[in-house]
Each structure stands twice: as structure tokens, then as C-alpha cells.
Amino acid sequence: MNLALPFTYKEFVLLHPLSIEGICKEIYQDNRNSIKIKKEELAIKNLTKIMKTVIKISHKQGFHAMSLRDLSRESELSMGALYNYFSSKEEFLNMMYIQGQALINKIMQESIRAGQNSSERLLRGICTHLYLSESISKIFYFFYMEAKSLKPEDQKKAITMEQFTENVFEELLKDGIQNGEFEIPYPLLTASAIKALLQDWYLKRYKYSERKISVEEYANFLIRFVYQNIENTNSKELK
Amino acid sequence: MNLALPFTYKEFVLLHPLSIEGICKEIYQDNRNSIKIKKEELAIKNLTKIMKTVIKISHKQGFHAMSLRDLSRESELSMGALYNYFSSKEEFLNMMYIQGQALINKIMQESIRAGQNSSERLLRGICTHLYLSESISKIFYFFYMEAKSLKPEDQKKAITMEQFTENVFEELLKDGIQNGEFEIPYPLLTASAIKALLQDWYLKRYKYSERKISVEEYANFLIRFVYQNIENTNSKELK
DNA sequence: GTCTATAGCCGGATAGAC
DNA sequence: GTCTATCCGGCTATAGAC
């Protein structure tokens, strides 16, 4: 079976120039009502600055521990100015979360659909997730850590990225079993394992960085690690 | 190769009746100076109640978001009483962390050393970690989530459980390669993957619980998943 | 040893000048 | 649109009665 990566990280980034700015643009356009600043360009510029600062400060001790005074100082916007962009600290977290997840899920779905068969779709799914989390690793980390900081009502609305990822891979594996491409003793646990190994890449970013392991190296490792457990040996022999 | 579990969860629990009480006993004995209550039995009883409550409340929104008023109410000790057991909120976190980790690391080391060869030690390592995290899953989850809440000085002192686990498995795998039991293309990444999959068990406890997957089932899955990638096929054929 | 009461500070949020 | 000044509730930590 051909386990070559379907695309490189560079190719992916060129195709999906994903950025915090991009997410903030969507946040602005979906929240024109509640955001008091009417000049789009300025609003997006400041939203981006706020979001980057939130992620930076929260990284250390979590969103709850970040005070708006911290945020005001580091984002170089006054307390008053901040409140033109959101109506409460909590609401801002919610906006970031909803908008960011929607964008990520969309890219994942599109990329996987482009695969011709289950095996190709699995390779694309793994690569896309890794490359996405590489290009905006701070956001992935933030979402993972702060999911439980959402209000309970919003928590239910937002299917976590977590569960979404796992479901995508579970369906993918089951399709592959049905059409004979894969042979998997525990598809559910296997999907869960893939998800855990994808998460490790962005949750432990510093570790892999220290060890100078590139995202493509990790992708290759992960694909081989998984394929040892899902390859249909009959279909391999036929080739 | 024989991949049967070296012991069941029940056997493990009987051998290591690990509990929050046990950790609190050690906390008390190591902090006699700073804890103002002198009756050992009473002190441990209250410490246990405090620690259980801390873990329970922190589970929802993190240690930082837990106020001492919350803790006082739910632990049924007054604010004043609490301060007989610690000198600050932060210091209590520190005590819990240091003491808990020491105990966990000790049990892991002892259990692994009892294995006769690399393969047996690996099986024991995986099972011990899973069973440990099963019996005190809330503590494992708490430690994982709150590691970054420690003061920077304490963070450096305490090698995270995370890194400890990974190092243990890395050495184990390398030993196995040296003596010909294993054949592993990327031992470092493999150790990292084992750790990630062990973590998933306690970080996503609710998920496995919902799906009615027992800790032994997960242990079996994990062992097989890993062995597909490390088995020395030459040595297998010889058998 | 445990309690209640409170000091003193810091947080989110807002009002109103510019 | 952005700022400074301020309100006020909630927080940690402590003092002192029982």
C-alpha cells in the first residue's frame, strides 16, 4: 500500500493560508450587531490583536486567570476600548470558540472528501489535521484547554473538536472495512487512538520542537504506526 | 509472543490500595511543621476531605477558578479552619502535586522492575499505569490539567508525570532493542505514542465509561496496538 | 481546633469626557 | 473610537472570640 504523504506542509499552507486574522474577519462579519466599531478594517485589526493576546496570556495559566487588566495592558487597548469588541469576557471566549471550530471543521471535511478511496481519505485526514494544528497550534491548544470554560449551554451547542475529529475517523475506518480496504479489530478504539496521537502533536508542541521533529516526520510516523493495525493483509497480497 | 495481561485490575488494587487518604497521610507526615493541627488522625481526615473537594471543584473550571469560599462550603470547614492545613491556596496545590507524583512514580518503578525481560516489563508498565490512573483517575486528571498552575520554581523542581512516564518507556524500549526482543524504527516517537495513549485513558475517562470499555479491554487493545509496531519478527519466527 | 467577622485588595464592568 | 475614573462585588488571608 502506498503510504506517501498526499501533500507537504508547504503545499497545505499555500492552499489554506489559515490565520488568526482570518478567524477574526469571520468573527467580525458574524457579530456586526454586537461589535460597536463600524470600520471593518480597524475592527479586524484590533480583534486580531485581542485574540492573539488572549491566547498568549491564557497559555500560561488559563483563560480564567487572565484579568482584563492584563489583557488591556498587553493588547495596548484600554479597558473601555475592549468593551467595544465584546460585552463580557465570557462572551469573547465563546465567539472565538464557535468561529474557530467552524472554520477548522470545514477545512477537515473538504480535504477528506477530496480523497478517492478510504485509504487516501485516511491519509488526507491525518495530514490535514496535523498541518492545521501545526499552522495554528496555539489556537488548537487553547481550544483544548478552555473547552470546559465555556458556559454549560454553549458547551452542549459546540460539539467539541475532540468528538468531531474522532467521529470523522471512525466513519472513515468503518467505510474502509466495508469496502475491504481495511481490516480492523477495534475500529472505535482505533479512531480514538488516532485522535489521541493527533492531539499529542499540538498539545506537546514544545517537546517535538525541541527534538527537531518536523510535522512531516510525525505524519509519516503516525501513518505507519496506524497502518500496522488496520491494513487488510489479503488485499495487500493481491497487489 | 505472549501478550496476556500480567495481572488484572482487581489484583492490582488489592496489591496497591492507593487512595487519596494514603496520599494525605504522606502529606501530613512530610509537612508536620507547617500544618497546625497536631492530632494525626483528625488532620488526615480533614486533609482528605479538603483534597477530595479541591479535586471535585477544580474538575469543572480549574484550580484557579475555585475560590476558598467554595472550598470552605463544600468541605464543611470554615475559612479559618482551612488555614490550619495550609498557608496559602497555592501552597496546598504544591503539596498535593509533589506528594502525589512521588507516590505514583514509586509504584511505577517498583512494578516495572519486577518484570523478567523487556517484553514483560513493557506489559507491566502499561498495565500498572492504566490501573493506577483508573483507581485514582481524578487525581491523574487534576495533575495533568493543573501542572501549569504551579509556581514556575516548583514547575522546574517537579519533573512532570508526563515526562517521567515517557522516559520510563523510552528506556524500556531501547533495552528491548539492544537485547533483540524488539525491533522499533522510531523508539522515541513510539514511547511518546504509548504515553499519549495511556493519557487518553484518564483524560477521557467519561468517554470510555459511556462506551462500557473496561480498563482491561483498553489494556489489551493498547498492548496489541503497540506490539504491531515493535515486535521483532525474527525472534517471533524462532519460537 | 474551629468558628465568625472583617481587613484590604483586585476583579469585571460602566459612565462620561475627549 | 478611545480614554480615564470609578463602582461594587468577590476574593484571599487574618484577627480574635469561643
Side-chain angles (χ1 to χ4, degrees):
Chain A
M1 205 177 285
N2 174 22
L3 297 188
L5 301 183
F7 37 79
T8 67
Y9 180 57
K10 269 194 182 169
E11 289 164 356
F12 175 84
V13 172
L14 286 172
L15 207 64
H16 299 280
L18 201 57
S19 63
I20 297 188
E21 276 90 346
I23 294 175
C24 287
K25 191 170 181 178
E26 301 213 359
I27 289 182
Y28 180 72
Q29 286 164 353
D30 283 17
N31 295 278
R32 274 221 169 79
N33 309 327
S34 57
I35 295 176
K36 296 200 189 72
I37 278 54
K38 291 306 164 197
K39 285 186 205 161
E40 176 159 349
E41 209 182 324
L42 174 67
I44 293 174
K45 194 193 106 208
N46 279 341
L47 272 172
T48 304
K49 194 155 202 179
I50 296 171
M51 186 160 168
K52 281 187 178 172
T53 311
V54 166
I55 290 171
K56 186 182 154 197
I57 301 179
S58 301
H59 193 79
K60 296 169 204 157
Q61 296 228 321
F63 184 76
H64 255 95
M66 175 195 73
S67 74
L68 289 191
R69 284 176 175 78
D70 294 340
L71 179 56
S72 165
R73 194 181 340 102
E74 291 209 33
S75 67
E76 293 172 299
L77 285 164
S78 69
M79 294 283 289
L82 288 177
Y83 274 88
N84 286 322
Y85 294 91
F86 50 74
S87 60
S88 78
K89 191 187 169 190
E90 202 171 11
E91 193 226 329
F92 189 69
L93 174 64
N94 196 42
M95 285 199 311
M96 283 175 66
Y97 208 93
I98 299 290
Q99 212 69 241
Q101 277 215 27
L103 192 60
I104 289 165
N105 292 354
K106 195 175 132 238
I107 294 177
M108 278 293 287
Q109 300 269 27
E110 281 176 8
S111 175
I112 288 174
R113 274 204 213 94
Q116 303 293 313
N117 53 45
S118 291
S119 186
E120 218 178 297
R121 280 194 285 275
L122 180 58
L123 291 183
R124 295 182 71 91
I126 290 176
C127 276
T128 303
H129 198 283
L130 285 177
Y131 294 170
L132 261 177
S133 66
E134 172 71 5
S135 71
I136 48 170
S137 60
K138 284 172 190 169
I139 295 185
F140 270 73
Y141 182 87
F142 180 81
F143 284 170
Y144 181 88
M145 284 296 179
E146 305 301 345
K148 66 176 175 180
S149 303
L150 292 171
K151 282 180 291 184
E153 23 174 320
D154 296 321
Q155 245 168 5
K156 279 170 200 160
K157 257 188 287 173
I159 306 170
T160 61
M161 216 156 54
E162 171 100 30
Q163 196 50 55
F164 169 80
T165 304
E166 192 165 331
N167 292 345
V168 166
F169 283 100
E170 193 188 332
E171 280 178 40
L172 231 159
L173 295 180
K174 283 184 177 166
D175 285 350
I177 297 172
Q178 282 224 321
N179 63 36
E181 286 181 66
F182 300 147
E183 191 186 348
I184 312 175
Y186 308 95
L188 204 143
L189 283 172
T190 304
S192 166
I194 292 174
K195 186 225 59 188
L197 295 171
L198 290 172
Q199 282 185 337
D200 211 54
W201 178 254
Y202 63 86
L203 290 178
K204 305 296 144 49
R205 199 62 210 80
Y206 61 92
K207 187 182 76 184
Y208 294 111
S209 180
E210 261 177 25
R211 296 178 182 172
K212 304 205 191 311
I213 295 165
S214 74
V215 67
E216 275 117 350
E217 282 176 282
Y218 190 76
N220 268 313
F221 165 76
L222 179 45
I223 287 167
R224 275 155 189 73
F225 200 78
V226 170
Y227 265 79
Q228 284 289 332
N229 283 279
I230 67 172
E231 220 167 357
N232 184 334
T233 41
N234 293 325
S235 94
K236 195 173 67 174
E237 279 162 17
L238 291 173
K239 285 200 178 178
Chain B
M1 204 177 285
N2 175 21
L3 297 187
L5 301 184
F7 37 80
T8 66
Y9 179 58
K10 268 194 182 169
E11 288 165 358
F12 175 83
V13 171
L14 286 173
L15 207 64
H16 299 279
L18 201 55
S19 63
I20 297 190
E21 276 89 346
I23 294 176
C24 287
K25 191 171 181 179
E26 302 213 357
I27 288 181
Y28 180 72
Q29 286 164 354
D30 283 18
N31 295 277
R32 276 221 168 79
N33 308 327
S34 56
I35 295 175
K36 297 200 188 72
I37 279 54
K38 292 304 163 198
K39 283 187 206 160
E40 176 157 349
E41 210 180 325
L42 175 66
I44 293 175
K45 194 194 108 211
N46 279 341
L47 272 172
T48 303
K49 194 154 202 179
I50 297 171
M51 186 160 168
K52 281 187 178 171
T53 311
V54 166
I55 290 170
K56 185 181 158 200
I57 300 179
S58 301
H59 193 79
K60 296 170 202 156
Q61 297 228 320
F63 184 76
H64 256 95
M66 175 197 73
S67 74
L68 290 190
R69 281 181 178 80
D70 294 340
L71 179 56
S72 164
R73 192 179 344 102
E74 291 208 31
S75 67
E76 292 170 300
L77 284 164
S78 69
M79 295 282 289
L82 287 178
Y83 275 89
N84 286 322
Y85 293 92
F86 50 74
S87 60
S88 79
K89 191 187 170 192
E90 200 171 12
E91 193 225 327
F92 189 70
L93 174 63
N94 196 42
M95 284 199 311
M96 283 174 67
Y97 208 93
I98 299 289
Q99 213 68 241
Q101 279 216 26
L103 193 60
I104 289 166
N105 293 354
K106 193 173 135 242
I107 293 177
M108 277 293 287
Q109 300 269 27
E110 281 175 7
S111 175
I112 289 174
R113 275 203 213 95
Q116 302 293 313
N117 53 44
S118 291
S119 187
E120 217 179 298
R121 281 193 286 274
L122 180 58
L123 290 182
R124 295 182 71 91
I126 289 176
C127 276
T128 303
H129 198 282
L130 285 177
Y131 294 170
L132 260 177
S133 65
E134 172 72 5
S135 71
I136 49 171
S137 61
K138 284 171 189 169
I139 294 186
F140 271 72
Y141 182 87
F142 180 82
F143 284 170
Y144 181 88
M145 284 297 180
E146 304 301 345
K148 64 176 176 179
S149 304
L150 291 171
K151 283 180 288 182
E153 23 173 319
D154 295 322
Q155 244 167 4
K156 281 170 199 162
K157 256 189 289 174
I159 306 172
T160 59
M161 214 155 55
E162 169 100 30
Q163 196 50 56
F164 169 80
T165 304
E166 192 166 330
N167 291 345
V168 166
F169 283 100
E170 194 189 330
E171 280 177 42
L172 231 159
L173 294 181
K174 284 184 177 166
D175 285 350
I177 296 172
Q178 280 223 323
N179 64 33
E181 285 181 67
F182 300 148
E183 191 186 349
I184 312 175
Y186 308 96
L188 202 142
L189 284 171
T190 304
S192 166
I194 292 173
K195 185 224 61 186
L197 295 171
L198 289 173
Q199 282 186 337
D200 212 55
W201 178 255
Y202 63 85
L203 290 178
K204 305 296 145 46
R205 200 61 210 82
Y206 61 92
K207 187 181 76 183
Y208 294 111
S209 180
E210 261 177 24
R211 296 177 181 171
K212 305 209 190 308
I213 294 164
S214 74
V215 67
E216 274 117 349
E217 282 176 281
Y218 190 76
N220 269 313
F221 165 76
L222 179 45
I223 287 167
R224 275 154 189 74
F225 200 79
V226 169
Y227 264 80
Q228 283 291 329
N229 282 279
I230 67 171
E231 220 167 356
N232 185 336
T233 41
N234 292 325
S235 94
K236 195 173 65 174
E237 278 163 16
L238 290 175
K239 284 199 180 177

